[in-house]
Amino acid sequence: MATIGKQDILAALTRIGELAAARGQQLDLLLLGGGVMVIVFGTREATRDLDVVILSPSDRAQVRALAATVAEEKSWPADWLNDAAKGFLTGPASGPIIFQSRGIVVRRPTIEQLLAMKLCSWRDDVDVADARRLLQELGGSQVEIWERIKPLLQPGRELKATYAYDDLWEERHDKP
């Protein structure tokens, strides 16, 4: 599996929720990164995996077992649902519900949090395009927006994020 598109993401989340409900569980996930960009903002057609923070149940192994079942059913890699990006998450991050089905609720972080994560990672054109789209969602001056993002930056990556934000702002406002 190279990538997961919007319909596959929604089908997989529905299925993992069905499996959870069959066990009497309710999953609460915080979706990060590419998954949010695909299903909420439509900035790309697909993502390689779904980065999540498992909010509940507290036994994360249960969620991993359910994800493994979905992976087997769909012939996907075992890590199609993972928590590898949680290290980029700083501060309170739970925003609105973006998907809900029997046995599962999926939320996304605030736009400020998503943008802070993109600015801290800033690896490639995909991060730049995602950050560009997220910045469009935020109102305010350069300083006002930065003040909302700054507390959410990953410690140790503030300088990288500052340069990335400045570049993004200048590009958006056609300044040399």
Side-chain angles (χ1 to χ4, degrees):
M1 175 186 80
T3 58
I4 311 170
K6 182 175 181 174
Q7 294 311 312
D8 286 333
I9 291 170
L10 298 177
L13 291 173
T14 299
R15 180 65 180 136
I16 201 171
E18 289 169 352
L19 293 169
R23 291 181 168 188
Q25 296 176 321
Q26 175 70 30
L27 306 183
D28 194 354
L29 305 177
L30 182 68
L31 184 63
L32 310 171
V36 173
M37 300 313 295
V38 170
I39 68 172
V40 176
F41 297 104
T43 57
R44 40 177 137 148
E45 294 294 315
T47 186
R48 290 184 308 263
D49 59 6
L50 295 185
D51 300 309
V52 299
V53 173
I54 301 166
L55 302 174
S56 70
S58 58
D59 182 359
R60 285 148 180 75
Q62 293 175 17
V63 178
R64 288 185 190 97
L66 297 173
T69 299
V70 173
E72 188 174 309
E73 290 175 359
K74 294 185 171 291
S75 299
W76 287 357
D79 65 348
W80 73 274
L81 184 84
N82 66 76
D83 61 359
K86 70 182 177 189
F88 286 99
L89 196 61
T90 301
S94 192
I97 293 172
I98 58 171
F99 177 80
Q100 191 167 5
S101 186
R102 189 172 70 101
I104 189 169
V105 172
V106 181
R107 305 168 193 281
R108 68 155 171 84
T110 64
I111 293 178
E112 289 85 355
Q113 181 67 66
L114 287 167
L115 182 53
M117 293 173 71
K118 288 295 178 181
L119 294 171
C120 287
S121 60
W122 208 252
R123 300 165 298 213
D124 53 30
D125 290 343
V126 174
D127 283 334
V128 176
D130 289 348
R132 186 179 295 124
R133 176 65 179 88
L134 292 167
L135 185 57
Q136 290 174 358
E137 293 290 318
L138 297 174
S141 71
Q142 182 177 6
V143 172
E144 290 167 342
I145 294 171
W146 180 249
E147 289 303 314
R148 296 192 328 248
I149 295 168
K150 193 173 164 184
L152 304 170
L153 298 174
Q154 183 186 22
R157 294 187 180 247
E158 298 92 349
L159 188 58
K160 180 180 191 175
T162 300
Y163 290 141
Y165 180 73
D166 288 345
D167 287 349
L168 198 63
W169 189 269
E170 286 177 11
E171 171 193 287
R172 180 176 175 203
H173 295 282
D174 297 319
K175 294 181 182 174

